[in-house]
Amino acid sequence: DQQVKQNSPSLSVQEGRISILNCDYTNSMFDYFLWYKKYPAEGPTFLISISSIKDKNEDGRFTVFLNKSAKHLSLHIVPSQPGDSAVYFCAASGYNTNAGKSTFGDGTTLTVKP
Amino acid sequence: DTAVSQTPKYLVTQMGNDKSIKCEQNLGHDTMYWYKQDSKKFLKIMFSYNNKELIINETVPNRFSPKSPDKAHLNLHINSLELGDSAVYFCASSQGLSVAVLTFGAGSRLTVL
């Protein structure tokens, strides 16, 4: 049962444009959501997160939007840079209990072309 | 200075062998994890330890035995390796049980022939 889905395996955008990565979840018990970025031969690194009490969280070029009714979140990167090329994982967690037990999507490979 | 370090980075072995992967974190975190990334690229939790105590065991075969000698270390021992154990194993840590943000190691790619 795939509780967190990233339906786009890959995304290619031009440098300077917006990148939008999407994620859907099915478990309504999830109340904290995270995005991780992963370069080849490295572990995932935390990028940005959002609690279910919010619908938007912004950190520099990165913004995460949460639509609880649709069980959907998205990551916006503006402007996209070549260094953003990586695999992006969406993850969902129950916040106050075993919060590190995250359920991950299978990733979206972002390629930003110069 | 690497925050979460795993050794070895690559491991190639025959079916039936026993192998271990070591993990150490220097972040002072209380909670450590093992995640497995299979061929479908999903990262799935295997185990979680908090201050050396097992917290999560996600229906992992008994052939997998984690050990946490102290809160900075979480090792993974695998007995009688099978082809299906081939995967990348990631160690991670977090500040505590209520903290969702994970710091991952670089991963250990295990190939079972």
Side-chain angles (χ1 to χ4, degrees):
Chain A
D1 178 25
Q2 197 176 330
Q3 298 185 62
V4 177
K5 296 180 184 180
Q6 295 176 252
N7 291 320
S8 298
S10 62
L11 175 67
S12 181
V13 300
Q14 208 65 36
E15 181 178 7
R17 306 295 289 267
I18 184 172
S19 296
I20 300 176
L21 295 92
N22 294 303
C23 178
D24 296 296
Y25 62 97
T26 56
N27 189 339
S28 58
M29 297 302 290
F30 290 141
D31 57 7
Y32 198 74
F33 304 90
L34 310 98
W35 285 94
Y36 289 85
K37 174 179 175 180
K38 184 184 181 302
Y39 292 118
E42 294 183 13
T45 55
F46 170 70
L47 193 56
I48 192 169
S49 62
I50 188 167
S51 164
S52 60
I53 62 173
K54 294 185 174 182
D55 55 17
K56 177 183 174 181
N57 188 26
E58 192 172 350
D59 183 1
R61 297 186 296 114
F62 303 90
T63 303
V64 56
F65 295 91
L66 175 62
N67 182 333
K68 282 178 292 187
S69 60
K71 293 191 177 69
H72 176 84
L73 62 155
S74 60
L75 173 68
H76 293 211
I77 306 173
V78 183
S80 301
Q81 299 173 353
D84 296 329
S85 297
V87 179
Y88 288 79
F89 289 98
C90 168
S93 172
Y95 186 57
N96 281 323
T97 56
N98 295 326
K101 181 185 173 183
S102 286
T103 300
F104 283 78
D106 59 346
T108 296
T109 300
L110 173 65
T111 302
V112 180
K113 297 178 179 178
Chain B
D1 201 17
T2 306
V4 180
S5 57
Q6 301 178 223
T7 54
K9 194 167 176 68
Y10 300 97
L11 192 50
V12 180
T13 189
Q14 299 287 330
M15 275 176 52
N17 284 350
D18 304 338
K19 291 294 177 186
S20 292
I21 307 172
K22 296 186 176 182
C23 179
E24 176 181 1
Q25 55 96 1
N26 62 8
L27 298 167
H29 287 172
D30 286 337
T31 312
M32 294 185 72
Y33 308 82
W34 280 109
Y35 275 80
K36 178 181 179 181
Q37 186 180 33
D38 59 22
S39 57
K40 294 182 180 178
K41 305 302 182 187
F42 287 102
L43 277 153
K44 293 183 181 175
I45 191 166
M46 300 173 68
F47 300 103
S48 168
Y49 271 73
N50 188 63
N51 280 320
K52 303 193 298 177
E53 180 185 352
L54 179 66
I55 301 296
I56 296 172
N57 181 341
E58 281 292 301
T59 323
V60 178
N62 291 338
R63 299 183 295 103
F64 290 78
S65 52
K67 281 194 172 59
S68 183
D70 54 61
K71 74 173 194 177
H73 295 83
L74 180 61
N75 304 321
L76 183 65
H77 187 76
I78 315 170
N79 289 327
S80 304
L81 279 157
E82 300 177 357
L83 292 176
D85 298 332
S86 295
V88 182
Y89 293 85
F90 288 98
C91 178
S93 69
S94 68
Q95 288 181 324
L97 282 175
S98 62
V99 177
V101 176
L102 301 173
T103 302
F104 283 89
S108 298
R109 181 176 291 277
L110 172 64
T111 303
V112 182
L113 303 175

